[in-house]
Amino acid sequence: MVMSRPTKSQDPRELPAYGLSEAAHYLRIPRATLRAWVMGRSYPKGSGLALARPLFHLPKPGQPVLSFLNLVEAHVLDAIRREHQVSLQRVRKALDLLLRHVPSRHPLADQQFATSGLDLFVERYGELINLSRDGQLAMREVLAAHLKRIDHDPSGVPIRLFPFTRNRELEEPLGVVIDPFVSFGRPVLHGTGIPTAVVAERYKAGESIDSLAVDYGRSRLEIEEAIRCELEVDAA
């Protein structure tokens, strides 16, 4: 189902749409990790505990439900954390540096980050965690690969996310897309309104990949991508 474009105040990109488990499965991020990003996390301080603030602005503060833009931010942040496994405290400092250059409610999802902000962020982030120049180059390549999987509208706001469906291979096909204006933001086959969940359910019910490809008029690869997306979700 394709939704009409709403007013800015009703923009589906900003609305609460994805629970923690659902978002973690779509992005292939451990649920506990994503929860720490969006809800904050307690840590020892002195004789007690302190709370590290969340890394994202949620649609409803204090409620662990992400918007589409939060989903995009988590997709980008995952590239940083997965590549270098640095502490959240250092990630938070790096994001604070980024905010000075990209004043935005969702800086990692802002197109300005993908254009003028990326090199600055990589340099400052590399200095913060003592990355070599080679390490900074590797991080930039990983970030750039993640950013290629995000489409923006003319104003620079993300409109589509192509989640990884395999092992975060940098050249994975863009077969599955999450578009907040299509199928209520659930994954569909790119260029169609066909929900990947429906394809996967039919496959699990016993229909073959080839028969599904014929029925939907799509390639075998596309059907495999839909099934891979949803079966990973089910298995997580």
Side-chain angles (χ1 to χ4, degrees):
M1 178 178 180
V2 180
M3 297 184 292
S4 60
R5 299 275 168 171
T7 62
K8 186 174 181 179
S9 63
Q10 299 172 319
D11 192 334
R13 292 172 291 194
E14 293 275 14
L15 297 178
Y18 308 95
L20 270 179
S21 294
E22 185 179 31
H25 291 157
Y26 289 158
L27 298 175
R28 285 161 170 69
I29 296 173
R31 186 178 184 277
T33 298
L34 186 59
R35 182 177 182 84
W37 294 355
V38 304
M39 298 299 291
R41 183 174 63 183
S42 59
Y43 63 94
K45 185 175 183 180
S47 59
L49 292 174
L51 180 65
R53 72 182 188 274
L55 297 174
F56 308 142
H57 290 286
L58 297 177
K60 296 183 178 180
Q63 295 187 23
V65 183
L66 287 72
S67 69
F68 170 75
L69 291 179
N70 295 146
L71 208 66
V72 173
E73 291 178 290
H75 166 80
V76 176
L77 180 56
D78 181 55
I80 301 167
R81 287 280 288 151
R82 187 169 296 274
E83 180 71 11
H84 299 292
Q85 292 295 306
V86 299
S87 70
L88 278 182
Q89 188 175 25
R90 286 183 172 179
V91 170
R92 188 172 287 105
K93 288 181 179 178
L95 289 178
D96 287 343
L97 287 172
L98 174 62
L99 276 170
R100 297 175 193 171
H101 185 76
V102 184
S104 168
R105 182 174 172 82
H106 304 285
L108 289 174
D110 196 299
Q111 191 170 28
Q112 190 179 349
F113 172 65
T115 53
S116 59
L118 179 57
D119 288 332
L120 175 65
F121 178 74
V122 168
E123 180 182 350
R124 297 287 178 84
Y125 184 80
E127 291 171 356
L128 189 63
I129 64 174
N130 298 318
L131 268 185
S132 67
R133 287 294 173 185
D134 287 344
Q136 290 183 32
L137 177 60
M139 185 181 72
R140 192 191 190 289
E141 290 175 348
V142 170
L143 272 170
H146 278 64
L147 292 170
K148 284 181 181 177
R149 305 185 75 88
I150 303 166
D151 283 349
H152 298 81
D153 68 12
S155 66
V157 179
I159 52 175
R160 282 179 292 271
L161 171 65
F162 296 87
F164 289 106
T165 54
R166 305 185 183 188
N167 297 313
R168 292 180 176 80
E169 300 167 11
L170 300 188
E171 299 300 325
E172 282 189 22
L174 305 178
V176 173
V177 64
I178 296 175
D179 183 332
F181 297 98
V182 177
S183 195
F184 299 97
R186 268 55 216 165
V188 299
L189 286 176
H190 184 210
T192 79
I194 303 170
T196 55
V198 173
V199 177
E201 283 299 319
R202 292 181 60 179
Y203 174 75
K204 286 161 58 178
E207 297 187 57
S208 71
I209 292 175
D210 288 332
S211 66
L212 289 169
V214 171
D215 196 23
Y216 286 113
R218 313 305 299 181
S219 70
R220 181 185 174 89
L221 174 63
E222 289 175 293
I223 299 300
E224 289 175 345
E225 288 297 290
I227 293 169
R228 185 176 286 114
C229 172
E230 294 297 333
L231 290 186
E232 286 291 331
V233 169
D234 289 346

